[in-house]
Amino acid sequence: MSQTVAHDDLSAFRRDLHRHPEPAWCEFYTTARIVDELESRDLTAVHYGPEILGGERMNVPDDDELAEWFERAREAGAREDVLAEIEGGYTGAVAVLERGEGPVIGVRVDIDALPILESEDGEHVPAGEGFRSEHDGYMHACGHDAHATFGLGLIDEILASDFSGTLKVFFQPGEEQIVGGQPMAESDLIDDVEYFLAAHVGLDHPTGEVICGIDGFLAVSHFHAEFEGEPSHAGGHPEQGRNTVQAAAAAIQNLYGIPRHADGPTRVNAGVVGGGTATNIIPEECFVEGEVRGGTTELMEYMDEKAHCVIESAADMHEVDVDIETLGRAPSATSDEELAAPIAEIAGDIDGVTNVIERDELGGSEDATYMMQAVQDNGGYATYVGIGTSHPGGHHTSTFDVEEESLDIGVDFLTAAVLAIAEQNP
């Protein structure tokens, strides 16, 4: 790693974010902390608040939940002026550095956390070294604290380089619920981006391994189905009720019976189910939260249409009402060879990189795909890159952690990629 960014500074920043994990649209402390760092640097502009999010936000928490996380951020020392601009869940930030003639390059790093209780085992490094999550029930179990650190370190390296062009770093909220990518892709700030990189740590690759172009994104749509019926006494007059649990059970059973498609992989899952108040009352309310996925956007839309049909039919069969809401959504995407190939050519010369993989398959979903497609639709190029880390637990587990050597590798890899793009203008 270069001497521009000290490892200890990167580690301290990442550990601070790790102690303060926040879910989608509630990244108040995280955003304020990032903005504070960005404004201490010689950047052309630092954008945050509603201006960075074009279009409608999906699945925004209710006012009470937003207020709770807002107050936690305030108590943790977040800047009041920044909090005032992002109140209501307008989280995230965009850093802009304009440095003469050259291409406009965008880099996306996400910043939100997951609703997982972090391990207290002393063998778990955050617990053993004192930076375990301070918000029980939430943790950075997918490395987004490292991603934000990549973004900050990249900015420092580019500031100290002979880079010519414009760099935009998008600190994106709400990836875990696939809600932040679309409104950020619909903001004016991405319109002039010609080359775009999205980055992720880990992905079951060890420290020292980097991936220059990731494909295999499953398009995804999350739904919430709310059933409403009529209560009655389950023993005395069961016939007078309209049972929402029966409808939900029928819907869940039949969701898994949706025919799979010959054109590629399709998925469905009912992940959260709830309802009812007592064993002797016909339940008048019930909900199902789930998702559908497809190997292409079209396959996801096929599954989504079938899922809506199944849920509405189950409600009709049991004479209850149902309201279906889309909670989050993301298309599939493809990394452009025009970017992946030149990045692969320079990746092997980076300190700490032991293996370069030019192409790989994700096998999951990501809403950076909205931003990738926005750039591609404007005639630009995009790729999704990976920075390996030898984590002790898998992604989305209570023992997930980032080996901090990968922070240095990630910053150097992204810096080398940006400089190579600016120089080659592929």
Side-chain angles (χ1 to χ4, degrees):
M1 175 150 194
S2 78
Q3 297 302 309
T4 306
V5 184
H7 172 86
D8 289 348
D9 292 339
L10 288 179
S11 175
F13 178 72
R14 178 250 165 174
R15 291 183 175 204
D16 185 34
L17 297 187
H18 193 91
R19 289 200 315 272
H20 300 93
E22 298 163 307
W25 303 130
C26 297
E27 307 98 325
F28 297 113
Y29 178 87
T30 305
T31 298
R33 184 75 173 83
I34 290 168
V35 169
D36 197 40
E37 291 288 345
L38 294 177
E39 290 187 343
S40 71
R41 287 152 171 81
D42 187 19
L43 295 170
T44 306
V46 178
H47 301 277
Y48 56 95
E51 68 167 322
I52 71 168
L53 301 169
E56 184 179 353
R57 295 174 299 154
M58 286 191 290
N59 204 14
V60 179
D62 62 33
D63 290 345
D64 289 343
E65 185 175 354
L66 288 170
E68 178 184 350
W69 285 101
F70 188 85
E71 189 57 35
R72 285 185 181 183
R74 174 178 281 149
E75 291 173 356
R79 276 174 44 185
E80 291 287 347
D81 61 326
V82 178
L83 289 178
E85 292 294 323
I86 62 176
E87 188 170 6
Y90 293 95
T91 48
V94 181
V96 181
L97 172 62
E98 296 176 356
R99 184 76 76 70
E101 296 295 322
V104 181
I105 303 170
V107 177
R108 177 275 211 170
V109 291
D110 44 10
I111 65 174
D112 58 323
L114 284 157
I116 296 176
L117 181 65
E118 185 161 15
S119 173
E120 297 183 51
D121 190 326
E123 295 297 314
H124 178 56
V125 173
E129 298 193 10
F131 63 99
R132 179 183 177 272
S133 168
E134 295 178 6
H135 302 318
D136 273 356
Y138 293 86
M139 70 172 287
H140 275 292
C142 201
H144 297 189
D145 50 344
H147 299 172
T149 306
F150 291 157
L152 189 64
L154 167 65
I155 288 168
D156 283 342
E157 293 290 350
I158 295 300
L159 281 168
S161 75
D162 59 359
F163 170 78
S164 182
T166 297
L167 173 68
K168 295 185 176 184
V169 180
F170 296 83
F171 294 86
Q172 183 211 303
E175 185 279 329
E176 294 295 358
Q177 294 186 20
I178 55 171
V179 292
Q182 183 172 12
M184 196 161 258
E186 293 175 351
S187 76
D188 295 339
L189 291 166
I190 205 169
D191 288 349
D192 61 348
V193 173
E194 301 167 86
Y195 302 98
F196 182 81
L197 306 173
H200 205 296
V201 73
L203 303 178
D204 299 322
H205 292 272
T207 300
E209 203 158 80
V210 296
I211 310 95
C212 302
I214 295 177
D215 300 307
F217 297 96
L218 295 177
V220 63
S221 182
H222 291 177
F223 64 83
H224 176 97
E226 189 78 29
F227 297 87
E228 292 189 10
E230 189 74 29
S232 67
H233 194 289
H237 289 286
E239 78 285 354
Q240 294 179 4
R242 292 188 292 126
N243 194 323
T244 57
V245 167
Q246 278 186 296
I252 293 167
Q253 184 71 25
N254 292 327
L255 282 170
Y256 289 100
I258 296 173
R260 297 304 180 258
H261 205 289
D263 289 349
T266 52
R267 306 281 188 269
V268 64
N269 188 53
V272 185
V273 180
T277 56
T279 60
N280 62 350
I281 300 174
I282 298 295
E284 65 176 317
E285 293 183 342
C286 188
F287 74 90
V288 177
E289 287 188 7
E291 66 173 27
V292 293
R293 304 191 194 218
T296 64
T297 303
E298 292 73 21
L299 287 172
M300 177 271 287
E301 290 172 344
Y302 158 81
M303 291 296 292
D304 197 42
E305 180 181 346
K306 294 293 186 183
H308 276 66
C309 181
V310 162
I311 294 167
E312 290 165 356
S313 297
D316 288 343
M317 179 170 62
H318 291 283
E319 299 181 320
V320 304
D321 299 319
V322 67
D323 180 67
I324 307 172
E325 177 188 4
T326 299
L327 301 179
R329 198 173 175 92
S332 60
T334 300
S335 290
D336 289 310
E337 183 67 14
E338 290 85 348
L339 277 189
I343 292 172
E345 290 178 4
I346 55 89
D349 296 329
I350 298 167
D351 288 344
V353 172
T354 56
N355 190 32
V356 177
I357 300 173
E358 185 167 335
R359 311 292 297 201
D360 195 17
E361 296 273 320
L362 181 70
S365 304
E366 244 281 14
D367 69 347
T369 52
Y370 275 115
M371 303 176 75
M372 293 172 68
Q373 287 194 353
V375 172
Q376 291 166 332
D377 288 346
N378 286 335
Y381 299 98
T383 189
Y384 193 98
V385 301
I387 298 100
T389 193
S390 300
H391 48 72
H395 287 271
H396 295 208
T397 69
S398 63
T399 57
F400 179 84
D401 189 29
V402 171
E403 190 170 56
E404 291 190 333
E405 179 186 349
S406 61
L407 299 178
D408 304 334
I409 296 171
V411 169
D412 286 350
F413 176 52
L414 291 173
T415 301
V418 168
L419 293 175
I421 293 167
E423 182 178 343
Q424 299 177 26
N425 208 0

